[in-house]
Amino acid sequence: MNTLTRVQKLFVCLILMLLSFSLQAEEGELRVVVSIKPVHSLMAALMKGARPPDLLVGKGEIPYGWEPSPEQKKHIEQADLVVWAGPELESSLEPVLQNLTEKPRLLTLLDSLDLKILPSRWNEAERDPYFWLDSRNALILIDVLTKMLMDMDYSRAHLYKRNRDALFKKVAKLDRRLEYGYRGLKGGVVLAYYDTQQYFEQAYALKLGGVLSPSPRVPVSAATLIKERNKLKEGWYACLLTEAKMKMPELQLLISGVDINRVELDSFGSTLEPGEDLYLQLMDHNTSLIKGCMQKTAGALSQDAATADEAADNQQANIGGRFMLTDENGKMVTQDDMKGKYQLLYFGYTYCPDVCPTSLSVMMTALKKFDPEARRIQPYFITVDPQRDTQKIMADYVHYFGKNLIGLRGTQAMTDRVIREFGVVVEKVVEDPSKPEKYLIDHTASLYLMAPDGRFITRFAHGITSDQLVEKLKEYMK
């Protein structure tokens, strides 16, 4: 009997010790709180295998009108890291964060210098909070969050790095698919009830013709309602975009008696289950709805997605080829002449109003920061608009960005061939039919890194910062 009692006591002690070790391990894990579901989804994927991040604005909820519960406030107080967008979106969270006695590490994403943050179209003093709707921002954010996790929890750095690589691959594939298939969004001009799509509009050439209100916090004015209703009746718009869980008190006044295609986007993922797959689901969901609203059939949508995936994969595997171009001095340049150094290629045109100058500035700034290693890299600017980009125009243009930047142009036939060889998407856009010569060109805005032997290495998405580009070049040129 005594022996049995001793065994029982030892068993109880062992259980208590195991519980103690478990609690200690749990206490040692990083406690992360994330405000909105799209960002929480990326964080959940990065923290897979560790303590999952807590979500504040959960299923069926959006930040507008949301208030943190007492339990959520407690989670915030106990957190090591709190990630939120900023006061433009989660205004009810701002006083909670300001009144914390022991402040956790705080990441305000709208303050990030790494992300592409656009100003509000309604108030220049504010920022547009919907940054995640450009998948290139998501790619940048993955690296920002990974670095922060590794800095704060070095013992699990290997886990975060492994999760980062898996997640980055998935989002990069999504980005390629959206970039390759963005022409499906050009079926007409759309009207948005709320201004949630500025990032998506810029990234994927969505033609947004009008917006009624910046957010549910601002009622639609009578003048705007009358103007946009008349335009709907006159057939200006192919589609009306609304948002899940956002109240629209003037909707019936807007569409009563009007025949218009309408879809309900879900930019917060409010109807989706929280988790690591939500971001990908959200982007596919919204893109498919917008394409569908442009009167594409469900079968065509499925075929488009499959074709885009296959084309993007094939494009990635077969980038590069044979060509003959001339530089800004009139000298012939072939693919063989470019060998011997790493090559950083950008396709664009000199009349490009914003994207091309920004991308070239990032590329050349990165190479200056990378010096002296930059001597191993030769940057090129290849025009997709040889009709207007003459040799002299190219010379003046490239020298503005740097003496070592080489500008390349060719005949229209050779330009078309190079575009095909590198899988560059190019589409001429005539906005004013009375002035066809003042056209714009929608085009792939990535940077291509080629090896000294001419092999394709990788593409860097538009939106990457010069510092991030330096780090990526170091990784690929080890």
Side-chain angles (χ1 to χ4, degrees), residues 28 43 62 83 87 110 137 145 181 186 197 200 223 264 272 301 325 339 354 371 377 380 389 463 473 478:
M43 185 67 88
I62 60 174
V83 182
L110 289 177
N137 261 342
L145 295 177
K186 292 178 172 287
Q197 300 300 309
F200 195 90
E264 185 178 79
L272 303 174
L301 283 174
L325 301 170
K339 292 179 181 179
D354 46 22
D371 189 74
I377 306 173
Y380 291 91
D389 288 345
L473 290 173
K478 287 179 180 178

Side-chain angles (χ1 to χ4, degrees), residues 144-162:
V144 170
L145 295 177
T146 301
K147 185 178 185 304
M148 182 161 283
L149 290 173
M150 293 173 71
D151 288 345
M152 296 182 68
D153 188 12
Y154 184 75
S155 64
R156 295 183 179 84
H158 64 287
L159 174 67
Y160 301 135
K161 179 63 167 62
R162 185 176 68 222

